[in-house]
Structures are given as structure tokens and as C-alpha cells.
Amino acid sequence: MPTLFIDADACPVTREAIDCARKAHIPCVIAGDSGHNLMRHVRSGDPTSPREGFWVDVLSVPQGPDAADFAIVSELEPGDVVVTQDFGLASMALGRNAHAIGVRGQVYDKRTIDALLMVRHAEKEARRNPRRRTSPKGGPSAFTAQDRKHFSRNLWSLLEECRLRETI
């Protein structure tokens, strides 16, 4: 049975991801730095220790760059699913034969992750260039209710696909 891992640092769809895990009856791990109250996402009746079907746990890591990412990767098994905005974490998950989905519902793929990483690198280099003449765009567009629905729909489909593979 797959486990759903949520990279909860700045994740706008933590509740939706847990709801999908609850509905799919699979375990869920919320990972984030110790400065956040990750337990706020857990319902009072949710089981919080490993058992058959759905349960939810919190993986609290020290504050620091990529601490949650590396904690998640160290726990991943093939077939698990990771919710993340981070292309680097998505790439590491795919490299461990797990699945990864972005917070807007983009399912990451081994065939395209390298291109996403190259674009991220090029954008980072452009931001470092002191001779850049144009001002930054201001980041991604605002997160909408439609984004939440798209994420939930795609995560549900991905979890169902993983469960079907598990039974074959």
C-alpha cells in the first residue's frame, strides 16, 4: 500500500491531500520544519499511529534548507506519492520509483523532470544577474479554488492508479 507524503512547508493543499488519503484509506505523513504546527491539519478522530488503512503522522524536522525534503526521501518506498512544489524533491522521489504531484495538480514525470529542473536553474541564474534590465514578474499567479479542485482530482486519480498497481 502506498504512503502519501506531504511536503508541508508552504503547502496550500495540505488539507485536500489528507482528505484524499483518508478517502483512499492510505497512510499519510505530513513533513515540515519544527517551527510549524503541523498537527493543526490532523482531525481529532484521525488515527496517528501505523495501522491498516488510513492513519496520519507528522514528521517534524529541524529548520533549514531542504530538511523536510531529505527526511521525506529517506522514508520513501517505491510506489509512494509525494505532494510538493519543489522540482528537486519531485526528481528525488521519481528517482526512488515513487510518484510526485505539484500543488496545482501537475503529476511529475521522469521524462520531463529534467527539463523542469533546467528551467528552474536558468531562472535562478537570471535572478542572480546584476545586469538584468527587466523587473521580476512577481512570482506565480494567485492560488485559486479551481487550483484546489484540479489538485484534488489529479491526486485522487494518482492514488487510485497506485492502489490498482498494488493489487496487480
Side-chain angles (χ1 to χ4, degrees):
M1 173 180 297
T3 298
L4 177 66
F5 288 87
I6 304 169
D7 180 10
D9 291 337
C11 180
V13 290
T14 301
R15 288 188 197 281
E16 290 83 356
I18 295 170
D19 287 345
C20 281
R22 189 180 289 112
K23 184 177 168 185
H25 303 288
I26 66 166
C28 179
V29 177
I30 308 167
D33 75 49
S34 57
H36 295 104
N37 175 14
L38 300 175
M39 285 301 292
R40 75 182 185 281
H41 300 292
V42 181
R43 291 183 187 169
S44 61
D46 284 341
T48 56
S49 59
R51 64 179 190 89
E52 189 69 27
F54 172 75
W55 53 270
V56 62
D57 193 14
V58 169
L59 180 59
S60 188
V61 298
Q63 292 182 353
D66 303 323
D69 298 356
F70 293 122
I72 289 170
V73 170
S74 71
E75 300 286 325
L76 280 178
E77 297 288 331
D80 287 344
V81 178
V82 178
V83 175
T84 185
Q85 298 185 74
D86 185 316
F87 296 155
L89 175 55
S91 177
M92 289 187 284
L94 294 172
R96 294 190 64 118
N97 292 318
H99 307 275
I101 184 171
V103 299
R104 293 181 190 258
Q106 176 186 12
V107 177
Y108 299 110
D109 187 287
K110 284 183 178 181
R111 295 170 296 190
T112 59
I113 194 69
D114 287 341
L116 293 172
L117 288 167
M118 287 184 348
V119 168
R120 180 182 77 164
H121 177 73
E123 288 173 347
K124 189 174 187 178
E125 288 298 312
R127 285 190 300 273
R128 288 183 182 164
N129 185 350
R131 290 184 267 177
R132 185 175 64 169
R133 294 180 186 197
T134 59
S135 62
K137 294 180 184 177
S141 60
F143 201 79
T144 66
Q146 188 64 30
D147 290 327
R148 287 183 195 285
K149 288 178 186 174
H150 187 248
F151 168 79
S152 294
R153 192 170 41 249
N154 286 357
L155 177 58
W156 177 252
S157 295
L158 181 59
L159 293 176
E160 282 295 295
E161 180 183 316
C162 291
R163 285 177 32 159
L164 286 173
R165 283 185 190 162
E166 190 75 19
T167 60
I168 295 175

